[in-house]
């Protein structure tokens, strides 16, 4: 009997390694990887890989697997990888080669550029043995072709009726956004007819089998429900998004498709709803659609609030926090990011490193699942990720409690989530004669630490907290000292290691200073790969 019980227990432990739900994902932090780019095979010539050429650099599922220590040691508990389906294999197009993995040819086959089925399984197994999750990007809205009349026999869907007929998108016309084709005449993106029952059932069967075979824990849906005109950004920023557009496929897939598709997958689904309007974007979160979406509205607000030069409009952020609370079915499940493959690197829209640190800190210390685009940490020396993991462990409700804004000015915002107070500013690196004060529920006898500098922070009478920026605009995270026990942070004792693989330490910042502009990407990549080679 005891024997049987043990077997049942170990089986349930095994199954808990996959089929992860939204609840399971809430406590994760995600490192986003472009499979071709994160790590090159041993001995590869780094100089041969010029990211600007839009061609393959040679990363694979194996090279990710061989370089997981770096990600785990930084505190990440999940990775999100490029789509795994077979891509276009023909000659180079005017928009380069499909190194990004989004130019789907036959969705039912694996992308052999990235490895074999055994390689993908080995990556999944290695992640699970480290207690980490695997999120896979999936593209269902469209396939890729070079004409408006491609040979359908090479695709997963071979019938003309399984696609919408060709028409260029008329932006602003929802029917057209939903049914017409993305891309242009150089690279067309034939629109799969997700209203066709044969498509729905084939996609459902496919995703169910894929998730089971590779023990995938979550899906990131390259769904594309775009309303470009609502992304309110500086013109140069907007241009960059548009330039990405040929492969940043983006538009409506009808909403009814998602509950069936994600239901068949049986795992957490987070969708890319490329829309800065909270009301528009958040209608895609909930039982009628997806578990969560990537938080483009918050991203847009973070750009408005923190980018330098920029609007430096803190009200955009406080306003967005209020809107998301009101319109999201669960803000703590949304995906928080500052960079991804469809928006520019932060360093190319904001020159001041303090702007990055403050905006990133928001993503870690407020509601939602933090996502970091590979290489971004090269400009960030932070221990926010280990802190978040510790708070998840050490408290019952940090994850599910919702953020409360304590006070805000044009230059700064103070907010509280659980028992942690975060104070952020947009003044940038130069000293500024600015202070922000906030009232907290803390007693003035409470001992607290700013964990980004490991210094004690005095709470004033009536629980007041005051932060000044005479040495520049650093983010501040105030944690009551009793919450830091067993965190390994700021001289507090480390957690007891469980199975030899401990989760602590901050990300190193090798040679990251002073980097900005378009070369940041190349330099970040090179620095990262070099760091990995050590
Ligand atoms: C919107 O697009 C659809 C599909 O292309 C088209 O049939 C319809 O006439 C368009 N509506 C308007 C108002 O332009
Ligand atoms: C195709 O690509 C070329 C080279 O980038 C560009 O000049 C041209 O405008 C594109 N054609 C179409 C139809 O978009
Ligand atoms: C700042 O953002 C708020 C809220 O989104 C907006 O109403 C206001 O017009 C913005 N101010 C400026 C100067 O752009
Ligand atoms: C959280 O708790 C788990 C299980 O006790 C442990 O394995 C893990 O190391 C802890 N993580 C942190 C960051 O304390
Ligand atoms: C800082 O600002 C305060 C209030 O605006 C002013 O009284 C003070 O002189 C300023 N200090 C410096 C060093 O500029
Ligand atoms: C504390 O708060 C109360 C109520 O807001 C106020 O009357 C009092 O003056 C405050 N005391 C101090 C020392 O700021």
């Amino acid at each position: 009997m005891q024997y049987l019980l043990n077997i049942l227990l170990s089986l349930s432990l095994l199954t808990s390694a996959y089929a992860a739900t939204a609840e399971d994902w809430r406590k994760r932090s995600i490192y986003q990887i472009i499979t071709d780019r994160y790590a090159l095979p041993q001995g590869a010539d780094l100089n041969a890989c010029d990211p600007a050429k839009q061609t393959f650099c040679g990363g694979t599922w194996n090279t990710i697997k061989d370089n997981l220590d770096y990600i785990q040691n930084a505190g990440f508990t999940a990775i999100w990888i490029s789509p795994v389906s077979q891509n276009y294999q023909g000659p180079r197009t005017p928009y380069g080669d499909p190194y990004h993995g989004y130019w789907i040819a036959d969705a039912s086959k694996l992308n052999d550029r990235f490895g074999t089925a055994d390689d993908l399984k080995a990556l999944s197994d290695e992640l699970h043995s480290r207690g980490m999750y695997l999120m896979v990007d999936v593209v269902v809205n469209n396939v890729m072709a070079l004409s408006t009349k491609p040979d359908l026999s090479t695709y997963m869907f071979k019938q003309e009726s399984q696609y919408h007929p060709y028409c260029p998108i008329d932006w602003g016309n929802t029917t057209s956004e939903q049914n017409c084709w993305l891309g242009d005449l150089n690279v067309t993106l034939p629109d799969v007819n997700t209203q066709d029952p044969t498509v729905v059932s084939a996609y459902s069967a496919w995703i169910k089998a894929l998730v089971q075979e590779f023990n995938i824990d979550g899906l990131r849906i390259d769904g594309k429900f775009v309303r470009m005109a609502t992304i309110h950004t500086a013109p140069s920023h907007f241009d960059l998004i548009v330039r990405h557009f040929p492969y940043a496929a983006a538009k409506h897939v009808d909403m009814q498709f998602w509950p069936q598709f994600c239901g068949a997958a049986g795992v957490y689904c987070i969708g890319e709803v490329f829309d800065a309007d909270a009301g528009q974007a958040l209608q895609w979160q909930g039982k009628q659609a997806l578990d969560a979406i990537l938080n483009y509205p918050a991203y847009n607000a973070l750009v408005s609030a923190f980018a330098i030069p920029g609007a430096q409009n803190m009200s955009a952020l406080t306003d967005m926090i209020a809107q998301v609370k009101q319109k999201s079915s669960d803000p703590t499940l949304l995906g928080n990011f500052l960079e991804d493959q469809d928006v520019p690197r932060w360093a190319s829209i904001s020159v001041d490193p303090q702007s990055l640190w403050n905006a990133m800190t928001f993503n870690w210390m407020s509601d939602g699942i933090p996502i970091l685009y590979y290489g971004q940490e090269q400009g960030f020396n932070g221990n926010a990720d280990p802190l978040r993991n510790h708070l998840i462990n050490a408290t019952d409700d940090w994850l599910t409690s919702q953020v409360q804004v304590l006070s805000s000015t044009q230059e700064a915002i103070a907010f509280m989530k659980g028992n942690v107070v975060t104070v952020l500013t947009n003044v940038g690196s130069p000293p500024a004669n600015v202070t922000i004060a906030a009232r907290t529920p803390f007693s003035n006898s409470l001992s607290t630490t700013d964990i980004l500098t490991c210094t004690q922070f005095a709470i004033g009478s009536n629980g007041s907290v005051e932060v000044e920026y005479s040495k520049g605009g650093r983010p501040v995270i105030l944690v009551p000292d009793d919450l830091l026990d067993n965190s390994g942070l700021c001289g507090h004792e480390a957690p007891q290691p469980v199975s030899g693989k401990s989760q602590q330490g901050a990300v190193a910042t090798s040679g990251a200073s002073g980097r900005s502009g378009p070369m940041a990407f190349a330099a970040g990549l090179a620095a990262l790969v070099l760091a990995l080679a050590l």
Side-chain angles (χ1 to χ4, degrees):
M1 195 59 195
Q2 185 59 40
Y3 177 70
L4 184 65
L5 196 63
N6 284 345
I7 291 199
L8 287 175
L9 273 174
S10 54
L11 275 178
S12 68
L13 282 177
L14 276 180
T15 48
S16 70
Y18 43 89
T21 62
E23 188 66 31
D24 298 323
W25 274 91
R26 199 191 326 262
K27 57 170 77 84
R28 300 279 153 171
S29 48
I30 305 172
Y31 190 84
Q32 182 194 350
I33 288 173
I34 300 295
T35 300
D36 175 69
R37 295 291 168 86
Y38 166 63
L40 305 190
Q42 275 204 327
D45 175 5
L46 296 183
N47 298 319
C49 165
D50 175 358
K53 286 198 176 130
Q54 298 186 309
T55 192
F56 293 97
C57 288
T60 64
W61 297 317
N62 275 335
T63 64
I64 297 173
K65 182 178 90 237
D66 293 344
N67 291 285
L68 287 176
D69 283 349
Y70 174 84
I71 299 171
Q72 188 178 24
N73 289 341
F76 292 94
T77 48
I79 63 169
W80 146 18
I81 62 172
S82 306
V84 299
S85 291
Q86 185 196 74
N87 268 226
Y88 165 76
Q89 292 173 316
R92 188 178 162 81
T93 77
Y95 308 127
D97 297 309
Y99 68 91
H100 42 73
Y102 290 94
W103 282 352
I104 304 300
D106 185 342
S108 68
K109 298 201 174 92
L110 289 181
N111 188 338
D112 59 11
R113 281 270 180 183
F114 297 158
T116 64
D118 284 346
D119 296 342
L120 185 53
K121 276 182 202 154
L123 171 60
S124 177
D125 288 350
E126 178 59 29
L127 284 162
H128 292 142
S129 79
R130 292 166 182 257
M132 295 172 75
Y133 280 178
L134 174 63
M135 173 176 280
V136 168
D137 208 319
V138 298
V139 185
V140 297
N141 175 68
N142 55 265
V143 293
M144 180 275 193
L146 296 180
S147 78
T148 57
K149 289 265 169 219
D151 170 9
L152 296 178
S153 70
T154 64
Y155 295 91
M156 175 169 155
F157 296 114
K158 305 183 194 310
Q159 313 298 324
E160 215 173 310
S161 60
Q162 294 174 311
Y163 300 83
H164 289 122
Y166 171 77
C167 46
I169 291 181
D170 172 18
W171 293 104
N173 173 342
T174 307
T175 321
S176 170
E177 288 176 6
Q178 206 165 327
N179 297 341
C180 291
W181 293 17
L182 289 161
D184 59 23
L185 294 176
N186 282 326
V187 170
T188 63
L189 299 174
D191 195 78
V192 177
N193 182 356
T194 47
Q195 289 104 339
D196 181 315
T198 66
V199 167
V200 177
S201 64
Y203 261 153
S204 296
W206 164 69
I207 198 64
K208 184 171 185 207
L210 186 80
V211 163
Q212 284 182 355
E213 182 173 6
F214 299 103
N215 290 344
I216 294 166
D217 304 290
L219 301 177
R220 181 271 186 185
I221 313 272
D222 192 65
K224 309 323 194 124
F225 327 80
V226 117
R227 298 202 322 156
M228 293 297 291
T230 67
I231 303 276
H232 320 286
T233 54
S236 60
H237 183 189
F238 186 77
D239 290 348
L240 277 159
I241 295 176
V242 173
R243 235 184 289 145
H244 271 76
F245 204 57
Y247 55 87
K251 69 188 286 191
H252 286 94
V253 165
D254 53 314
M255 209 177 269
Q256 305 88 300
F257 176 80
W258 298 118
Q260 294 180 67
F261 183 80
C262 293
V267 294
Y268 172 73
C269 279
I270 183 167
E272 182 184 31
V273 180
F274 204 110
D275 196 321
D277 182 276
Q280 291 289 334
L282 288 165
Q283 61 179 320
W284 294 90
Q285 185 194 20
K287 286 191 174 36
Q288 74 291 356
L290 299 157
D291 289 319
I293 59 168
L294 290 161
N295 203 342
Y296 274 92
Y299 165 74
N300 206 52
L302 289 171
V303 173
S304 298
F306 292 108
I308 300 175
Q312 287 170 274
N313 183 359
M314 200 58 84
S315 313
L317 185 60
T318 49
D319 192 49
M320 188 52 68
I321 292 171
Q323 285 195 49
V324 169
K325 267 176 192 274
Q326 194 196 348
K327 292 170 180 157
S328 169
S329 58
D330 187 343
T332 69
L333 291 176
L334 298 172
N336 297 338
F337 65 95
L338 277 189
E339 296 184 353
D340 68 16
Q341 73 282 12
D342 294 339
V343 300
R345 290 267 176 187
W346 185 266
S348 69
I349 55 172
S350 180
V351 296
D352 191 310
Q354 288 292 359
S355 73
L356 172 67
W357 299 340
N358 280 276
M360 270 180 95
T361 301
F362 180 85
N363 283 349
W364 257 259
M365 300 318 298
S366 66
D367 301 338
I369 300 170
I371 301 174
L372 187 127
Y373 190 52
Y374 79 108
Q376 191 186 329
E377 73 282 9
Q378 298 288 318
F380 183 65
N381 178 11
N383 47 12
D385 204 7
L387 173 69
R388 184 175 187 272
N389 291 340
H390 169 71
L391 292 172
I392 293 168
N393 265 12
T395 68
D396 291 334
D397 59 354
W398 188 80
L399 274 177
T400 47
S401 69
Q402 288 192 16
V403 83
Q404 303 295 333
V405 175
L406 300 174
S407 71
S408 71
T409 65
Q410 268 181 341
E411 294 95 2
I413 180 172
F415 60 86
M416 187 152 183
K417 182 175 167 77
N419 243 355
V420 177
V421 171
T422 302
V423 186
L424 305 175
T425 180
N426 58 20
V427 299
S429 298
N433 183 14
V434 163
T435 57
I436 178 169
R439 280 282 291 279
T440 69
F442 295 159
S443 124
N444 66 349
S445 60
L446 185 75
S447 168
T448 65
T449 298
D450 167 15
I451 68 112
L452 294 177
T453 54
C454 291
T455 50
Q456 288 287 309
F457 196 96
I459 305 296
S461 57
N462 276 355
S464 69
V465 156
E466 199 172 293
V467 174
E468 53 88 29
Y469 298 111
S470 62
K471 291 183 180 147
R474 302 178 54 97
V476 168
I477 302 176
L478 298 182
V479 187
D481 283 353
D482 58 356
L483 251 186
L484 287 171
D485 289 348
N486 299 314
S487 66
L489 296 168
C490 297
H492 290 256
E493 211 172 297
Q496 299 306 315
V498 183
S499 75
K501 274 173 179 162
S502 71
Q503 275 192 8
Q504 56 183 357
V507 179
T509 54
S510 48
S513 57
R515 197 186 299 133
S516 67
M519 282 314 289
F521 176 80
L525 176 74
L528 178 55
V529 177
L530 282 173
L532 288 172
L534 293 176

